[in-house]
């Protein structure tokens, strides 16, 4: 899932300082699961913004709602009436959610309440880690399911660098060397031959450098 | 400032603090009248939004009182409450409200004296801090 973290409340308050009625939209998708942008977080943000405004002796009206997923038009279409009544919209979705809302409601400022930071998962309650670099050319079948693109600090594709010491990366003693993990996993799988297999240079053209990427499925089109 | 009568909200777990309040009453113990109790089924049931809303609505101090650690009727509700309170202290600090205005206490249902002691101590603390900074906004309005 996409992991996002809350922006400082003062920063969000600054975005909306000229408005008196805002719509706060939580997202029931990824940001809800990583406890940054769900129903509760939307309510906490709205209350916090009202408190800040009240401290200045002014009023802020907030309407709080949550879309099932902000990244799908069918789930945000239903917000139209609420959006129309608000002067601005604060999104607790990831960067995708903010943009989908901004595209759908062209005449409104849609402001982000979160910083979108990574594609990853929950390693333990309250802790999330990056697992995918979205490189567009998955090589996990060669590396025992451990991604060197995102888990190696240098994204090295062919074995560890000299900074790998005692199984950890030189950038932090808390960060395991991705290639050490790959080596250990391939040992368990009895597939160390994959370490020696010739691999052509990775095709980075599928990565982000070519502008926004698209995916199409004709059979899913209406 | 001597006339300052703070509004204090105490979210009290039914199994400990709320029962302790009853014990305090039976023992005829005096405790700060500024404290308003709200009975909760467990301290872990106290929603962070409700705590924030208490501040928004004019509370000068809020505390959550749960069972002794290890004695929660629902196993870990009080531990969860403690973590939430610690998190919310950071949130209210970000909003310019002193984190000391929010606290978590642990006591058992038999500790009527401790209940009164907590109520008095916390009220003293809030009296020293003065009115909630949120009320500064109301003063602007009063002056205008």
């Amino acid at each position: 899932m996409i992991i996002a973290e809350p922006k400082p409340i003062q920063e969000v308050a600054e975005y909306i300082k000229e408005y008196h009625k805002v719509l706060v939209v939580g997202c029931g998708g990824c940001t809800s699961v990583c406890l940054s942008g769900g129903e509760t977080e939307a309510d906490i943000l709205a209350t916090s913004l009202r408190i800040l405004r009240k401290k200045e002796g002014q009023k802020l009206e907030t309407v709080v709602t949550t879309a099932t997923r902000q990244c799908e038009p069918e789930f945000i279409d239903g917000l139209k009436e609420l959006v129309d009544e608000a002067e601005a919209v604060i999104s607790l979705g990831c960067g995708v959610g903010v943009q989908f809302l901004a595209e759908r409601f062209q005449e409104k400022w849609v402001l982000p309440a979160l910083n979108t930071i990574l594609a990853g998962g929950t390693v333990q309650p309250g802790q999330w880690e990056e697992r995918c670099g979205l490189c567009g050319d998955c090589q996990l079948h060669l590396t025992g399911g451990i991604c060197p693109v995102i888990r190696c600090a240098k994204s090295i594709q062919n074995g560890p660098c000299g900074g790998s010491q005692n199984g950890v990366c030189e950038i932090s003693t808390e960060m395991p060397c991705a290639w050490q993990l790959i080596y250990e996993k391939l040992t368990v799988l009895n597939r160390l031959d994959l370490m020696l297999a010739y691999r052509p240079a990775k095709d980075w053209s599928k990565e982000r450098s070519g502008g926004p990427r698209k995916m199409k499925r004709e059979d899913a089109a209406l | 400032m001597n006339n300052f009568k703070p509004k204090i909200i105490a979210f009290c777990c039914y199994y400990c603090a709320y029962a302790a309040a009853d014990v305090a009453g039976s023992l005829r113990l005096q405790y700060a009248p500024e404290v308003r109790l709200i009975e909760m089924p467990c301290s872990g049931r106290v929603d962070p939004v409700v705590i924030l809303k208490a501040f928004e609505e004019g509370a000068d101090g809020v505390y959550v009182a749960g069972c002794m650690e290890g004695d929660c009727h629902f196993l870990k509700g009080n531990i969860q409450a403690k973590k939430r309170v610690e998190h919310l202290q950071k949130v209210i600090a970000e909003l310019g409200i002193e984190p000391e205005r929010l606290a978590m206490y642990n006591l058992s249902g038999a500790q009527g004296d401790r209940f009164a002691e907590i109520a008095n101590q916390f009220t003293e603390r809030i009296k020293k801090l003065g009115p909630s900074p949120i009320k500064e906004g109301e003063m602007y309005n009063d002056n205008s």
Side-chain angles (χ1 to χ4, degrees), chain A residues 163-181:
Chain A
S164 175
Q165 303 282 329
N166 303 317
V168 294
C169 177
E170 65 184 343
I171 68 162
S172 161
T173 51
E174 286 174 15
M175 187 169 137
C177 166
W179 278 99
Q180 177 74 24
L181 294 176

Side-chain angles (χ1 to χ4, degrees), chain A residues 112-131:
Chain A
L114 307 180
N115 288 324
T116 307
I117 51 174
L118 54 97
T122 315
V123 288
Q124 63 182 62
Q127 194 177 319
W128 297 270
E129 277 183 15
E130 193 162 26
R131 285 289 184 273

Side-chain angles (χ1 to χ4, degrees), chain A residues 7-11 39-41 43-58, chain B residues 47-49 52-53 55-58 87-88 91 94-97 133-138 140-141:
Chain A
K7 284 177 177 284
I9 298 166
Q10 297 275 4
E11 188 180 326
E39 207 173 329
T40 304
E41 292 75 29
D43 218 351
I44 288 175
L45 176 67
T47 310
S48 301
L49 292 171
R50 290 198 305 272
I51 287 175
L52 283 175
R53 195 63 72 88
K54 203 169 178 179
K55 270 179 75 189
E56 294 165 2
Q58 293 166 14
Chain B
D47 193 318
V49 177
L52 278 181
K53 282 187 177 163
F55 282 111
E56 184 189 9
E57 297 296 325
H87 173 72
L88 275 175
V91 173
E94 229 185 308
L95 302 176
I97 302 169
I134 294 174
K135 292 178 180 165
E136 287 168 19
E138 289 166 18
Y140 294 146
N141 285 341

